[in-house]
Amino acid sequence: MDRDFILKINHLVTKFRNGDDYFTAVDDISFELKKGETIGIVGESGSGKSVTSLTAMRLLNDEQEKVKRSGEILFNNKGELLNLATLDEVEMRKIRGNEIAMIFQEPMTSLNPVYTCGNQVAEAILLHQQQLVKQTKIERIVDVVQTSITEQFRKIANLITFGKIPSLRNKRLPKKEKEAKEKTIALFKKVQLPRPENIYDSYPHQLSGGQKQRVMIAMALSCNPSILIADEPTTALDVTVQKTILQLMKELQKEFNMGILFITHDLGVIAELADKVLVMHKGKIVESGTVQDIFTKAQHPYTKGLLACRPPLDLKLRKLPTGDIFIHNEQGKMTATSKKVQEVIHDLILSPEEIKKKQEKIYQGNPLLTVKNLKTYFPAEKTVLGKPKQWVKAVDDVSFEIYKGETLGLVGESGCGKTTLGRTLLKLVEPTAGEIIYKGQIISNYTNKQMRGLRKQMQIVFQDPYSSLNPKITIGEAIAEPLLVHGVYKTEAEARKEVKELLERVGLKATHYNRYPHEFSGGQRQRICIARSIVLKPDFIVCDESVSALDVSVQAEVLNLLNKIKDEYNLTYLFISHDLSVVNFMSDRIMVMNQGKIEEIGLTEQVYHHPQSTYTQQLIDAIPKGIVAT
């Protein structure tokens, strides 16, 4: 048998119990990974990407037949061929984390909030490399159970209250603990964490998203693994942080000669990092090949759709292509088109004349909203008497205008003040100083009662649609609620007809009226939130990172919907995002924000192609450019 691989998947199938039947999440896939190679696995949510990695790591609970799996997971462990699918849990623990490590998508939920970051990484080192831990947490609890009831409760209370990790608090291993701490700090330096000694003693909530992700990378690399599985490690990160982490992974791979499985829905990121690409759709691998082949010679219509959905960096389009352009449903049968990606994009390009005509129409009128010297400060530290001692200047003396019918894109890294500015404009956060002038009226000093009359005209679409919808009421009731609160209709029965028509308009069905939020996908829930924001026919909407968590194909559909609704209702948007490629597609002008201040503002083409600020240039340079799809 050819053993020129480090991981080989043969005919892998993973099924989840669904009532009396089973749902197939991974459907007979095969591939192999070599040392020093990076394979990118791409596809939409639900395509089976993460389930593939979790199955390979044996992290799915297959007890009580909740999960069924078949096929081989062959791991070449320094010449010894192991089938991970048949290993017992004790043997898997020696492999998992030690030889095969994983970086999870959401570091905040992957790191234990009651332990310091340093302790969590050091524990992994002691467990896997030193193998000197004589007493695990489970064994300690067994010891507790063998004592009296009173002693049992006391020991459990101490364990919970003081958050002690036995492997790190064992007084018989002070030298090993010291060595583990030194190695952990060295790892923190390697992954370019600032102040590594301080971060060792910091808790996860005290770090930024990028810093938490680097702690996860340090933990994954603590045992010099042969394989690193990275599951959407950069999805929620700013482009600048994303670029740094991708560069870091390349350097560490070269140093340790690791094989990497990189899972994402972003083909731009894959083009920056991967050697080969697997495209997954509904549990199957529909296309595979080198990065160059996938981008320039894509054959499967689903792959073409993924490539076309990415907002182009140097073109202005009427709308973004979606997957249905490449796959048609004719008389119940799916048929694929032979069109190439660039052919589809070429037909959608806005000419310079069209762009200029649109700009002239927008900017010949008066501003809808004017902001003068706006400040929003939050107390960072208080005195003993409760008076603010230091301030966080979230919005620091900004001035700008938004015109009727315009989409003003607001970009910047996390923490720059984008969201605070958007909420301050709607008076959801009280400004510290400055003026907000809406339709000629100064509203910055309006009371809550005065603002109620403007709520019909000023709305917001939040980043996370699920948390902004009440899980206890149907989506029809959620959309009808503003109509009833503002007295447009007296009863829900009267509002029902308009809500059902609006559901159809945003790409949903009238029959969805009585369904609950959990019954919809992420893209559908975002459509529900858009419907709720426009049901009162407002003039101004703040879109706060409204597509950042969506797959590229769903993102394209929602962005097209926002533009369609804007034209139909003559809306004005403040479009907040950290993704300059999305803002480039959506916006007439771009405003760049950094540390509470405006770095620069100008027409989209000017800011993107001729940035005046060094910070703006850094944001643009950090966008994954990849390979131009053809």
Side-chain angles (χ1 to χ4, degrees):
M1 179 186 288
D2 178 20
R3 295 193 178 182
D4 186 29
F5 63 84
I6 190 169
L7 181 70
K8 188 171 186 177
I9 304 292
N10 285 330
H11 305 291
L12 185 66
V13 177
T14 306
K15 298 181 179 181
F16 294 98
R17 192 179 187 89
N18 184 17
D20 296 330
D21 204 355
Y22 281 89
F23 167 75
T24 303
V26 176
D27 191 1
D28 193 23
I29 69 169
S30 300
F31 65 90
E32 63 179 53
L33 174 70
K34 297 179 181 180
K35 272 196 173 185
E37 182 181 51
T38 299
I39 293 181
I41 305 180
V42 300
E44 298 172 289
S45 295
S47 63
K49 308 186 303 294
S50 294
V51 176
T52 298
S53 66
L54 292 172
T55 305
M57 290 280 284
R58 293 277 308 279
L59 288 172
L60 295 176
N61 180 13
D62 54 4
E63 296 178 0
Q64 302 175 352
E65 296 189 341
K66 291 179 181 178
V67 179
K68 276 187 176 182
R69 70 175 189 282
S70 61
E72 291 183 318
I73 309 166
L74 302 178
F75 173 55
N76 189 349
N77 186 19
K78 301 175 179 66
E80 180 186 3
L81 200 60
L82 302 175
N83 185 358
L84 303 185
T86 59
L87 289 185
D88 61 32
E89 185 58 28
V90 174
E91 291 299 316
M92 270 307 300
R93 281 189 199 137
K94 297 176 182 178
I95 301 294
R96 191 189 298 129
N98 192 22
E99 295 294 340
I100 305 178
M102 189 166 184
I103 304 170
F104 295 94
Q105 179 173 357
E106 179 45 66
M108 191 63 234
T109 57
S110 303
L111 292 170
N112 194 322
V114 301
Y115 300 142
T116 66
C117 296
N119 276 353
Q120 294 183 63
V121 177
E123 182 185 28
I125 294 170
L126 287 170
L127 280 171
H128 288 295
Q129 289 198 286
Q130 304 300 332
Q131 297 182 0
L132 293 173
V133 180
K134 303 296 184 183
Q135 190 177 34
T136 65
K137 295 178 188 178
I138 294 175
E139 289 169 340
R140 180 165 178 168
I141 291 173
V142 169
D143 290 343
V144 169
V145 172
Q146 292 173 348
T147 61
S148 66
I149 297 296
T150 305
E151 188 70 358
Q152 174 181 337
F153 284 146
R154 185 185 68 78
K155 288 192 175 184
I156 290 176
N158 287 340
L159 188 65
I160 294 171
T161 304
F162 297 107
K164 292 182 179 179
I165 306 176
S167 62
L168 295 184
R169 302 302 183 191
N170 192 329
K171 295 181 186 274
R172 292 174 293 178
L173 301 174
K175 183 178 178 181
K176 295 301 179 183
E177 288 179 20
K178 184 178 179 181
E179 290 175 356
K181 180 175 180 179
E182 289 173 352
K183 182 169 183 179
T184 299
I185 292 174
L187 279 167
F188 284 173
K189 290 178 180 177
K190 187 178 289 291
V191 299
Q192 300 174 26
L193 275 166
R195 309 179 312 281
E197 291 82 2
N198 293 339
I199 285 181
Y200 185 94
D201 295 318
S202 299
Y203 290 89
H205 72 272
Q206 296 174 300
L207 308 184
S208 69
Q211 289 173 337
K212 285 194 284 279
Q213 197 61 283
R214 291 180 197 213
V215 170
M216 288 296 298
I217 292 173
M219 186 183 296
L221 297 175
S222 61
C223 301
N224 300 340
S226 303
I227 299 172
L228 178 65
I229 300 176
D231 186 4
E232 301 272 14
T234 61
T235 297
L237 302 180
D238 299 328
V239 287
T240 48
V241 179
Q242 174 182 270
K243 182 179 180 180
T244 304
I245 285 180
L246 292 179
Q247 289 175 339
L248 174 63
M249 290 182 70
K250 287 180 184 178
E251 292 168 4
L252 294 173
Q253 180 185 36
K254 187 175 180 180
E255 181 177 346
F256 295 111
N257 196 27
M258 293 184 301
I260 296 179
L261 282 181
F262 194 94
I263 298 169
T264 183
H265 61 254
D266 189 341
L267 277 163
V269 171
I270 286 296
E272 295 274 322
L273 188 69
D275 302 303
K276 296 179 183 177
V277 183
L278 307 177
V279 182
M280 290 192 70
H281 180 53
K282 295 184 177 179
K284 293 181 178 291
I285 296 176
V286 296
E287 189 165 2
S288 62
T290 65
V291 172
Q292 188 73 27
D293 286 343
I294 293 296
F295 274 78
T296 60
K297 302 174 186 176
Q299 300 298 315
H300 198 278
Y302 178 73
T303 309
K304 292 180 180 179
L306 284 181
L307 290 167
C309 288
R310 296 171 58 224
L313 301 174
D314 54 353
L315 298 172
K316 196 77 170 176
L317 304 183
R318 291 183 184 84
K319 67 175 185 177
L320 290 173
T322 52
D324 55 8
I325 293 177
F326 298 93
I327 304 178
H328 303 289
N329 193 339
E330 297 177 359
Q331 298 178 350
K333 293 182 179 181
M334 302 301 291
T335 59
T337 180
S338 59
K339 285 186 177 181
K340 293 184 177 181
V341 174
Q342 284 303 317
E343 291 175 351
V344 171
I345 291 176
H346 183 269
D347 294 338
L348 298 173
I349 295 175
L350 274 171
S351 67
E353 292 75 22
E354 290 175 296
I355 296 173
K356 185 177 180 180
K357 184 178 179 182
K358 181 183 178 184
Q359 291 171 348
E360 289 175 350
K361 181 181 177 182
I362 291 173
Y363 300 119
Q364 68 183 1
N366 295 320
L368 176 73
L369 186 141
T370 302
V371 175
K372 295 181 179 180
N373 307 111
L374 187 65
K375 299 179 181 179
T376 305
Y377 295 172
F378 299 105
E381 188 179 344
K382 294 183 178 181
T383 64
V384 178
L385 299 176
K387 292 184 178 181
K389 190 177 179 181
Q390 289 184 337
W391 297 89
V392 174
K393 298 180 179 181
V395 178
D396 191 10
D397 195 22
V398 304
S399 301
F400 60 93
E401 297 171 333
I402 303 178
Y403 289 81
K404 179 68 178 175
E406 177 185 28
T407 297
L408 176 63
L410 177 57
V411 299
E413 296 174 289
S414 296
C416 70
K418 304 188 303 293
T419 294
T420 301
L421 176 58
R423 297 189 180 194
T424 303
L425 297 183
L426 301 182
K427 290 295 296 295
L428 298 176
V429 174
E430 285 295 323
T432 304
E435 291 184 346
I436 304 169
I437 304 170
Y438 178 72
K439 291 186 176 180
Q441 299 292 318
I442 299 175
I443 66 170
S444 41
N445 295 322
Y446 272 25
T447 63
N448 288 335
K449 186 175 181 180
Q450 289 174 306
M451 279 303 299
R452 284 194 198 112
L454 287 178
R455 295 295 177 208
K456 289 174 65 176
Q457 302 176 44
M458 306 173 78
Q459 291 288 316
I460 186 169
V461 180
F462 293 99
Q463 178 175 359
D464 183 358
Y466 191 74
S467 62
S468 59
L469 291 170
N470 189 332
K472 296 182 179 180
I473 65 174
T474 67
I475 61 109
E477 293 171 327
I479 298 171
E481 186 178 34
L483 294 171
L484 303 176
V485 168
H486 290 279
V488 178
Y489 296 102
K490 292 183 179 180
T491 64
E492 185 182 335
E494 293 176 314
R496 187 184 297 265
K497 181 180 178 182
E498 182 170 337
V499 172
K500 287 185 173 182
E501 290 177 356
L502 187 56
L503 286 172
E504 296 279 355
R505 190 167 294 172
V506 298
L508 298 171
K509 297 179 181 178
T511 53
H512 290 160
Y513 187 96
N514 291 316
R515 292 189 184 180
Y516 290 86
H518 72 272
E519 299 179 81
F520 296 90
S521 68
Q524 287 174 322
R525 283 196 287 265
Q526 198 61 283
R527 290 171 185 267
I528 293 164
C529 291
I530 291 170
R532 186 176 61 178
S533 70
I534 65 173
V535 71
L536 292 170
K537 299 179 176 60
D539 293 313
F540 176 63
I541 298 180
V542 175
C543 300
D544 186 8
E545 298 275 14
S546 52
V547 296
S548 62
L550 302 179
D551 294 331
V552 284
S553 54
V554 179
Q555 174 182 278
E557 293 174 0
V558 172
L559 291 175
N560 288 340
L561 174 63
L562 285 169
N563 278 337
K564 177 186 174 185
I565 294 295
K566 177 189 172 186
D567 293 338
E568 287 182 5
Y569 288 84
N570 194 25
L571 297 173
T572 303
Y573 290 149
L574 176 66
F575 191 87
I576 300 173
S577 178
H578 62 256
D579 189 338
L580 255 172
S581 59
V582 170
V583 171
N584 178 54
F585 166 71
M586 287 292 294
S587 305
D588 301 295
R589 286 188 301 155
I590 292 178
M591 182 164 67
V592 182
M593 200 167 180
N594 182 26
Q595 297 182 354
K597 295 182 178 292
I598 295 175
E599 287 278 338
E600 67 178 291
I601 184 170
L603 295 173
T604 301
E605 297 78 21
Q606 293 174 352
V607 172
Y608 185 77
H609 294 290
H610 306 287
Q612 302 300 307
S613 163
T614 303
Y615 176 76
T616 307
Q617 183 62 56
Q618 290 172 350
L619 287 181
I620 294 170
D621 290 343
I623 302 172
K625 306 299 188 297
I627 302 169
V628 177
T630 59

